[in-house]
Amino acid sequence: MKVVLLDVLLTLLVLSYPLAALSRIRWPMAMRVGGLCFLLALLNALLQWLGHGVPSHWFSQHPASPVVLLVVTCIGWLVLRFSYRYLAGDAREEAFLRGLQWLLSGVVMVVVTNHVLVFMAGWVGISLALHQLLLFYPERPRAQLAAHKKFIFARLAELSLGGAFLILYLEHHSLWLNELFSVSGPLTGAEKTASVLIALAALIKCAQLPVHGWLIQVVEAPTPVSALLHAGVINLGGYVLILAAPLISGSPAAQALILVVAGTTLVTAALAMSVQTSVKEGLAWSTSAQMGLMLLECALGFYALALLHLVAHSFYKAHSFLYAGDGVNRVLVERHVGARMLRPNLPVAVLLTAILLLTGVAPAVLALFAPLLWLAGAGRALLLTGVYLVQKSLFEHLLPPLAAPGWMATAWVLCLALVLVAGFRRLDDRRAVTLRHWLYAGLFLDHWATRATLRLWPAPAIKQPTCAIVKKESLS
Amino acid sequence: MKALHNACQRIAPAWPLDRLIAVNPWWPMIERPFEEVAAKLAALGGIRCLMPISHYRAQGIGDAVLVEAAAEAGVDAEQVRAADDLPAPAHWHSLAALYQRSNGLRWLDMVVDQISRCCALYWESDGCLYQHWLAHCRDEKGLALLMDCPTLPDLLGQLPESPERMLVMAREALGFDDTMAADLGHGWLLDINGWASAAAYLHWQAGQTGVTTNRLGELLAIRLAWEWITLQFAGPALLSRWQRQSLAMMIEAHREHQRLACVWQRAQEMAYQQELARELAVQPSPGESPRLQAVFCIDVRSEPMRRALEAQDPAIETRGFAGFFGLPIGYRPAGGDYRRPQLPGLLAPTLWVTEAAPAQQNQGVLERIGRWHRLTQASPATFGAVESAGLGYVFKLLRSSLWPSAPAPALNRRLRDYDGVFVLEDADGPLDNHRKAALVANILKAMELTRPAPLVLLVGHGSTSCNNPHAAGLDCGACGGQSGELNVRVLAQLVNDPAVRALLKQEQGIDLPDDCRFIAALHDTTSDELHCFSPVQETVQEWLVAASRQARAERAPRLGETDGESLRRRGFDGSQVRPEWGLADNACFIVAPRDRTRHLSFDGRSFLHDYRWEQDEGFARLEAILTAPMVVTHWINMQYNASVSDPEHYGSGNKILHNLVGAVGVLEGQGGDLRIGLPLQSVHDGENWRHRPQRLCVVVRAPADSLQAIVRRQPVVQQLVDNHWLTLLRLDEDGCLWRLYQGQYRAV
């Protein structure tokens, strides 16, 4: 009974956005559809957690699925509501609505399904819908460049993921994701290759260095597109890793790849974020760094924390992007209260870190959490620690930890944390001019990536901007 | 090099976003006629100061007016009637604009992008911007890669260390002489007009505070450094092609091209002025002695509210006065370093206002907000911060979307919550009562309120909008881009102080009756609500509520709403890109007693300033009005005109792509030049322009010879009038309008 109910709910969810897009409904109706999807996701989560229901094998039975579904439908609904007035008066606001709906259809499909072909269809659909939204103002040359780069990297990620699925299919002869990702005993060579390919796809999808450039340039698209991208779409790389957890935990090569790439991204992007001058670019670098942390947590085996980070980051980034216009007031408050606002408190930080170690938090996780306790000041550090522990235990209830990381991985993470703190201290020094310049340009990795892509796949002739004024038939 | 520095003086300042006011972007060029400036700017940078002919045709201008305007300009009326939009002639290009390498982005775009990034990084730092730029470029290993020029680092190494030497080097390499230098320098600066205007603001500030700065010169040196580098890549062939451009011929061609459009523009203004003349010809009946006087700002948005308030009772009189109410103050919130001026941008504050006894918990709130944001920006702490507190943002998102509440920026909320006394200080310390009495006396005389009604409302204005980088542009321009709340509260406090009143009577000869009260109030222009800061009687409160309702009902159709009540919460929505229309469609400035205009409806297009020449000794007040409020209204008018006629150069672009750079300005998208001026959504509703570009029409009720004398005496006013930047009309006792031009009066 519960199975049937859940199946109906989830089928409705998967069909809502595509039907809405195809039937060309208008904004007020579309916002209601978004709200309906959020409600359905809420019911789904309640049925699965409180009612202990499990959907049929057509839909994902992974415990992370209802969580990510909730996040995605909530943010989708809020972005639709926001875009209604934000895009008002634009000549192509209906096209924008359809683009948003197709994007959300793809995301919901990826999160909800258990069939590999539906998964890949959703994945590709997301990329195509995003391409249309990025080129919402096609006459902008930087948007054309960003869309071109994203096109190439998205195809690479799809090839990688598709290749991994092909290998797994040949291993397991099944089209169901839960069976493809299941593991019995030590991994075969083919499975290890598949896990490396999955890790590669996740790294590309989550805009890790050096393929992070398109994320920075996506700010050429309207704000709601950025919000949805950073909050709902980019974290699907982490979602794939969480689904493929058994494979990743058994493959040291995949873990090593993620640890190195995501680790260096984490440090570089976090330092670059603090020297950016425009609000949206700072947020884009921040996303790259936060995704690095999420992937790192996956590689270390802390899938519950990765899921927590996915959820927390989505809401934080969605809010930051949508309400980025309030930045002027924030600057004024900073001017009033003074430049040196942070009050580092080392003794309290050490104390809290020791307590956390004793309660069983892994050293690798603590290495990246402890700097917050140091910089936040006594009261706030205590509050944040408490909240963190509560959330951690909730998510670990959902996704029990698999295996503890090895000492090399932990040492690597400790190393990263030290470099991060050292870089932070160095940037405070006014004489660190060269370091600031290099970080401002993101260590030039994107420049190299742009030239490489343009040389291998030349961009179509970039159309030069004309003086386009918005013109529209009717004011809705 | 003097000539190149003259070019720097041709860029008008652009105020930063936290104190955004409207500026005439062509202010440094008012000593030349408008038509000449329009032709020159079109030739230099393809800038449009006039609208296309199709726009004028759509205004429905009568044929008689067209013939009259053609006759005034000495142009054949048939030609004007048959005029059509032809493609504009070529304009001057810099070397970087002519040069193109093979790959994607235009070379000039990449150059401007690079300069913009460097400016954004070093704008708040001291030191020479040019040297910072040089260090930045030399460190940027990827620049050569991005622009696909491997020899770039060598060329950067050859650049001199000082901006002056760079200007000399560029001059020798590009081969231009002093006669052309000023114009060419202006053209080069127009390529980075946004940052140049922000630099001009720094020069303006420096002029007021006595500090020296050379930011514009350094910016020009950076721009010329790129010209020199481009020359090394481009080679002598492109250089000779660049040198062959004749600016003089281009100016002539553009002048010819714009001849007919100028006539159409003048015809549009004439049609408006003739309509105005017909309306003002009706003689009104005199009003009765008022029980309530409300002093509003001269802002165009006050006009509908004033009409609505006056409609409630014949004993209500409203007046117009500059929104800072004569107080030359700045605000310095207690407990911190922040300070901001609360007076027009033309002036610098001489007095500073601070709270006498601020509440301590408000300071704590500010520190908490600031510290949390700094924590999420600090590289090591950001991970833990997002991971632990990120989930909490879902409540903020849901609340902002489903149950939005009134936005309250932290510093303004603190001011609103404070209900104590304000302290005025200048360089010597707090003001004593004698100086306060002198200040109040001057203000009351200027407002002609030496014998006020029993209740006087001082109504400042401000706007409410959420998630809006250009929010300050909707606030009171006379208060430096802030809400007028502080000014009215301080003035009310000063006038109601018994000690000050006693000194007013003894020393200044102004006897205010004991029952006369001054109440500070705020007109929220987004929701059209009148909020009083002290309790008022029931009847007065009812008047205010009824007036608000009427004003909203009148404004609702303009925003696409059927019912005025939805306007009350329009400013709460963070996704609303058009919270109100601001000063769009402003057209005239009337300096006359309210009696002359009380019976008319200007549809929110008119600035209204009260003035009675009979009570003005030596016409000193008229002179003050023509040199200060008239300049402010002219700036507002020209800013809106420029944002409509040339949105690429003088408009901020599309709001949904805006990307904040600190509090200096916005970028449209990821890179490019800083954008100045009004965003597209502030002047366009998706179908039509909401502002019809028209040069300001100033109507003054004053004796003929006094007006002529003031115009002759004040060079700025004379330039504005005689160079066609605005039209000065005189309203005589019979209600006829006469245009003052070149010292002569003509009938309208």
Side-chain angles (χ1 to χ4, degrees):
Chain A
M1 183 57 217
K2 269 185 238 165
V3 174
V4 172
L5 192 56
L6 275 172
D7 273 5
V8 166
L9 266 177
L10 290 170
T11 318
L12 259 175
L13 247 178
V14 171
L15 291 176
S16 297
Y17 279 120
L19 280 177
L22 286 170
S23 44
R24 301 191 166 227
I25 57 178
R26 312 209 123 228
W27 277 100
M29 196 61 201
M31 293 196 290
R32 277 184 221 123
V33 168
L36 174 71
C37 288
F38 178 50
L39 203 61
L40 290 174
L42 210 54
L43 283 173
N44 170 51
L46 288 173
L47 269 175
Q48 290 202 19
W49 293 335
L50 299 179
H52 300 288
V54 172
S56 72
H57 66 274
W58 277 99
F59 298 103
S60 178
Q61 294 159 344
H62 197 281
S65 170
V67 178
V68 180
L69 188 63
L70 261 179
V71 170
V72 157
T73 48
C74 182
I75 290 182
W77 178 43
L78 291 173
V79 168
L80 276 172
R81 283 180 64 90
F82 190 86
S83 308
Y84 172 42
R85 292 214 172 75
Y86 206 59
L87 271 279
D90 194 291
R92 293 176 53 225
E93 56 172 325
E94 304 291 332
F96 190 81
L97 175 61
R98 276 196 298 284
L100 278 184
Q101 285 168 329
W102 282 119
L103 182 60
L104 287 167
S105 330
V107 177
V108 167
M109 248 200 278
V110 165
V111 174
V112 144
T113 187
N114 195 28
H115 193 278
V116 71
L117 290 176
V118 179
F119 189 93
M120 281 310 289
W123 192 274
V124 174
I126 293 174
S127 164
L128 294 175
L130 204 52
H131 189 89
Q132 290 308 310
L133 286 174
L134 285 187
L135 290 177
F136 188 64
Y137 293 112
E139 70 277 2
R140 301 185 66 83
R142 269 184 219 92
Q144 293 170 35
L145 196 58
H148 180 70
K149 273 166 44 178
K150 163 130 191 359
F151 189 79
I152 292 169
F153 293 136
R155 299 291 90 75
L156 276 176
E158 279 156 25
L159 268 172
S160 189
L161 197 59
F165 281 144
L166 192 60
I167 296 175
L168 290 172
Y169 173 70
L170 293 172
E171 277 282 314
H172 297 268
H173 299 285
S174 157
L175 286 174
W176 303 111
L177 283 175
N178 56 344
E179 289 170 19
L180 285 178
F181 289 141
S182 64
V183 155
S184 45
L187 294 184
T188 65
E191 279 178 334
K192 285 195 185 162
T193 322
S195 62
V196 170
L197 285 174
I198 292 179
L200 193 62
L203 288 170
I204 297 176
K205 183 83 178 174
C206 285
Q208 301 300 288
L209 268 52
V211 296
H212 62 288
W214 64 270
L215 190 66
I216 316 297
Q217 277 138 19
V218 154
V219 299
E220 282 285 311
T223 314
V225 175
S226 293
L228 200 49
L229 172 64
H230 288 246
V233 170
I234 241 196
N235 41 30
L236 292 179
Y239 179 65
V240 164
L241 282 188
I242 293 175
L243 285 183
L247 278 175
I248 306 289
S249 345
S251 162
Q255 289 176 21
L257 177 67
I258 299 177
L259 280 172
V260 168
V261 176
T264 44
T265 303
L266 192 150
V267 173
T268 317
L271 291 173
M273 162 189 87
S274 59
V275 298
Q276 294 302 314
T277 46
S278 62
V279 163
K280 285 190 183 174
E281 278 185 340
L283 289 174
W285 279 105
S286 164
T287 300
S288 191
Q290 303 284 352
M291 289 298 104
L293 177 67
M294 181 180 74
L295 295 171
L296 202 70
E297 285 172 339
C298 287
L300 292 170
F302 304 121
Y303 292 96
L305 287 179
L307 187 62
L308 166 62
H309 202 81
L310 192 156
V311 174
H313 174 255
S314 294
F315 289 124
Y316 169 70
K317 231 2 110 51
H319 185 269
S320 302
F321 261 104
L322 291 180
Y323 297 98
D326 272 333
V328 179
N329 294 320
R330 258 178 251 135
V331 171
L332 297 184
V333 169
E334 279 189 32
R335 272 194 211 153
H336 184 63
V337 178
R340 298 230 137 269
M341 268 183 301
L342 291 178
R343 298 208 285 242
N345 193 330
L346 202 50
V348 170
V350 168
L351 187 64
L352 283 171
T353 314
I355 295 176
L356 284 174
L357 256 179
L358 291 174
T359 57
V361 180
V365 170
L366 264 186
L368 291 167
F369 189 77
L372 169 72
L373 303 175
W374 167 51
L375 288 172
R380 200 169 242 151
L382 203 57
L383 179 66
L384 287 173
T385 314
V387 171
Y388 179 70
L389 281 175
V390 167
Q391 289 173 332
K392 179 169 176 293
S393 51
L394 270 177
F395 277 82
E396 278 180 349
H397 184 72
L398 206 58
L399 281 182
L402 282 179
W407 66 269
M408 271 213 296
T410 310
W412 169 244
V413 176
L414 280 169
C415 203
L416 288 175
L418 282 171
V419 172
L420 187 61
V421 174
F424 173 67
R425 294 293 291 270
R426 179 89 184 114
L427 277 177
D428 252 356
D429 187 354
R430 306 203 78 213
R431 292 165 301 170
V433 172
T434 308
L435 182 62
R436 206 171 290 128
H437 288 162
W438 285 5
L439 284 172
Y440 189 45
L443 294 184
F444 318 115
L445 293 166
D446 178 48
H447 301 157
W448 174 86
T450 307
R451 286 241 58 80
T453 49
L454 287 181
R455 199 158 287 146
L456 295 172
W457 292 279
I462 292 194
K463 298 169 267 210
Q464 295 310 327
T466 56
C467 270
I469 309 293
V470 290
K471 270 264 177 258
K472 191 171 150 23
E473 274 75 39
S474 62
L475 190 68
S476 62
Chain B
M1 290 303 102
K2 189 86 173 54
L4 275 178
H5 281 288
N6 283 345
C8 295
Q9 286 164 355
R10 295 212 195 145
I11 306 283
W15 264 248
L17 289 176
D18 61 318
R19 49 191 73 173
L20 191 60
I21 63 173
V23 183
N24 176 0
W26 308 306
W27 180 246
M29 295 185 275
I30 59 167
E31 72 249 11
R32 307 303 315 159
F34 178 76
E35 296 77 15
E36 191 183 309
V37 170
K40 182 170 222 179
L41 287 173
L44 259 183
I47 290 175
R48 295 192 299 270
C49 303
L50 295 161
M51 296 297 280
I53 306 267
S54 47
H55 169 89
Y56 296 120
R57 279 193 200 280
Q59 303 302 312
I61 302 169
D63 195 64
V65 182
L66 207 55
V67 170
E68 209 179 316
E72 192 186 87
V75 175
D76 179 26
E78 252 327 297
Q79 271 191 334
V80 178
R81 272 193 212 107
D84 225 343
D85 278 318
L86 301 166
H91 63 86
W92 181 83
H93 287 94
S94 60
L95 198 60
L98 286 177
Y99 180 60
Q100 182 56 34
R101 288 179 90 91
S102 53
N103 70 330
L105 289 178
R106 278 194 321 166
W107 178 258
L108 179 65
D109 284 344
M110 288 201 281
V111 167
V112 169
D113 200 43
Q114 198 279 327
I115 299 178
S116 183
R117 279 182 74 79
C118 181
C119 285
L121 190 58
Y122 282 107
W123 203 249
E124 309 280 332
S125 325
D126 18 298
C128 177
L129 183 67
Y130 175 78
Q131 281 163 357
H132 287 309
W133 171 80
L134 208 51
H136 185 215
C137 275
R138 286 175 180 163
D139 280 338
E140 273 245 12
K141 308 295 180 214
L143 195 57
L145 203 53
L146 188 66
M147 299 174 97
D148 198 19
C149 14
T151 53
L152 190 61
D154 302 323
L155 294 173
L156 287 171
Q158 294 175 32
L159 292 175
E161 296 297 320
S162 94
E164 295 299 324
R165 298 256 305 283
M166 183 68 240
L167 293 177
V168 172
M169 190 164 143
R171 191 170 119 152
E172 282 162 12
L174 292 166
F176 58 88
D177 58 11
D178 268 347
T179 51
M180 299 294 298
D183 288 333
L184 293 184
H186 189 191
W188 278 311
L189 283 175
L190 282 177
D191 281 337
I192 35 169
N193 191 33
W195 285 108
S197 304
Y201 168 76
L202 292 176
H203 280 254
W204 182 280
Q205 286 299 92
Q208 280 183 343
T209 56
V211 180
T212 51
T213 175
N214 189 23
R215 191 57 68 91
L216 268 171
E218 294 156 12
L219 204 53
L220 186 58
I222 295 174
R223 179 72 188 84
L224 281 175
W226 273 111
E227 283 293 274
W228 183 85
I229 292 173
T230 311
L231 178 59
Q232 310 310 312
F233 290 125
L238 197 67
L239 177 64
S240 62
R241 186 177 142 208
W242 176 78
Q243 284 171 332
R244 276 203 302 274
Q245 295 177 102
S246 164
L247 193 56
M249 279 174 56
M250 287 178 178
I251 293 177
E252 198 42 51
H254 277 272
R255 199 166 196 154
E256 189 49 43
H257 173 78
Q258 290 174 348
R259 208 166 41 104
L260 298 175
C262 284
V263 178
W264 275 97
Q265 174 75 53
R266 176 77 186 118
Q268 179 180 338
E269 289 157 14
M270 263 178 150
Y272 180 77
Q273 285 158 23
Q274 286 173 359
E275 179 63 36
L276 197 59
R278 277 194 287 277
E279 291 186 347
L280 285 171
V282 177
Q283 295 280 8
S285 46
E288 51 184 76
S289 163
R291 280 192 288 139
L292 166 67
Q293 280 170 327
V295 186
F296 284 77
C297 177
I298 59 177
D299 196 288
V300 296
R301 293 167 286 181
S302 305
E303 193 257 328
M305 180 58 93
R306 287 171 64 174
R307 252 186 299 123
L309 190 56
E310 286 163 352
Q312 302 308 315
D313 195 293
I316 302 177
E317 181 192 272
T318 68
R319 288 171 179 230
F321 192 72
F324 70 115
F325 289 89
L327 287 168
I329 59 175
Y331 178 42
R332 212 188 60 215
D337 304 323
Y338 174 65
R339 39 170 68 193
R340 68 185 190 210
Q342 294 260 162
L343 78 175
L346 297 164
L347 312 166
T350 49
L351 302 171
W352 291 95
V353 171
T354 185
E355 296 99 342
Q360 210 34 48
Q361 70 258 31
N362 284 333
Q363 184 70 9
V365 166
L366 281 176
E367 284 191 356
R368 271 207 299 281
I369 296 173
R371 220 177 305 137
W372 174 249
H373 186 245
R374 187 51 77 90
L375 208 58
T376 53
Q377 292 298 106
S379 314
T382 180
F383 299 110
V386 170
E387 195 151 313
S388 40
L391 259 178
Y393 281 85
V394 71
F395 299 111
K396 286 180 96 165
L397 273 172
L398 285 169
R399 200 188 44 189
S400 304
S401 181
L402 299 169
W403 304 284
S405 54
L411 286 166
N412 290 346
R413 181 177 41 210
R414 216 178 88 142
L415 178 61
R416 180 66 62 95
D417 290 341
Y418 178 69
D419 55 3
V421 171
F422 291 104
V423 173
L424 283 94
E425 308 179 325
D426 67 356
D428 304 322
L431 246 53
D432 62 2
N433 285 339
H434 298 274
R435 302 213 10 229
K436 284 186 193 173
L439 182 64
V440 170
N442 283 337
I443 294 174
L444 287 178
K445 285 185 202 147
M447 289 204 285
E448 295 162 5
L449 272 182
T450 45
R451 265 190 274 271
L455 182 60
V456 178
L457 283 183
L458 301 167
V459 189
H461 70 96
S463 75
T464 307
S465 59
C466 197
N467 195 22
N468 184 5
H470 292 93
L474 292 174
D475 279 336
C476 184
C479 294
Q482 316 296 335
S483 127
E485 175 175 346
L486 183 71
N487 295 58
V488 291
R489 285 173 69 179
V490 167
L491 186 57
Q493 172 194 310
L494 284 175
V495 180
N496 289 334
D497 185 353
V500 172
R501 283 209 188 183
L503 285 173
L504 267 179
K505 183 166 166 188
Q506 285 165 18
E507 296 178 2
Q508 307 289 341
I510 299 177
D511 186 8
L512 297 174
D514 288 332
D515 63 340
C516 167
R517 269 201 318 148
F518 280 65
I519 305 271
L522 189 69
H523 171 206
D524 183 332
T525 48
T526 312
S527 60
D528 260 335
E529 287 187 323
L530 287 167
H531 167 80
C532 292
F533 291 104
S534 319
V536 286
Q537 300 169 314
E538 279 248 5
T539 34
V540 175
Q541 191 61 36
E542 279 167 17
W543 286 340
L544 296 180
V545 168
S548 301
R549 210 176 301 128
Q550 183 179 330
R552 271 199 294 275
E554 187 186 317
R555 209 160 54 96
R558 241 172 272 160
L559 286 162
E561 311 267 5
T562 46
D563 165 32
E565 288 316 295
S566 54
L567 288 185
R568 290 181 68 198
R569 305 174 66 82
R570 197 175 170 95
F572 295 1
D573 191 348
S575 65
Q576 180 59 261
V577 283
R578 299 182 178 91
E580 55 162 298
W581 284 115
L583 296 120
D585 220 16
N586 62 81
C588 70
F589 177 35
I590 301 185
V591 181
R594 180 56 176 157
D595 289 338
R596 297 296 283 110
T597 53
R598 191 177 169 129
H599 56 293
L600 298 170
S601 161
F602 294 102
D603 213 19
R605 296 188 76 184
S606 174
F607 297 94
L608 297 170
H609 197 302
D610 264 73
Y611 172 68
R612 277 173 189 74
W613 66 264
E614 296 89 345
Q615 298 172 7
D616 192 7
E617 292 255 352
F619 298 101
R621 272 214 303 285
L622 182 60
E623 199 159 338
I625 292 176
L626 288 183
T627 48
M630 190 177 85
V631 171
V632 170
T633 54
H634 163 73
W635 277 12
I636 294 173
N637 174 259
M638 270 303 165
Q639 172 80 82
Y640 273 83
N641 290 352
S643 295
V644 172
S645 64
D646 198 340
E648 293 298 309
H649 290 97
Y650 300 113
S652 291
N654 198 339
K655 263 193 174 182
I656 72 180
L657 297 173
H658 275 172
N659 188 3
L660 268 179
V661 176
V664 176
V666 288
L667 301 172
E668 195 194 30
Q670 192 220 348
D673 192 16
L674 192 71
R675 299 300 293 259
I676 55 172
L678 297 160
L680 199 59
Q681 277 90 346
S682 293
V683 286
H684 198 280
D685 65 7
E687 262 182 274
N688 301 306
W689 292 107
R690 276 316 182 98
H691 174 77
R692 288 167 277 185
Q694 252 178 248
R695 286 167 291 185
L696 194 68
C697 155
V698 181
V699 177
V700 179
R701 179 182 165 273
D705 42 356
S706 59
L707 197 57
Q708 274 172 321
I710 292 176
V711 173
R712 263 199 307 273
R713 261 206 307 275
Q714 294 291 341
V716 166
V717 179
Q718 181 161 35
Q719 283 166 358
L720 287 175
V721 173
D722 289 341
N723 288 333
H724 314 139
W725 290 95
L726 48 77
T727 314
L728 184 57
L729 303 174
R730 176 182 163 254
L731 180 66
D732 69 7
E733 299 311 314
D734 306 320
C736 296
L737 280 184
W738 301 87
R739 181 181 173 212
L740 177 58
Y741 177 63
Q742 290 183 338
Q744 306 273 342
Y745 282 103
R746 288 146 235 237
V748 166

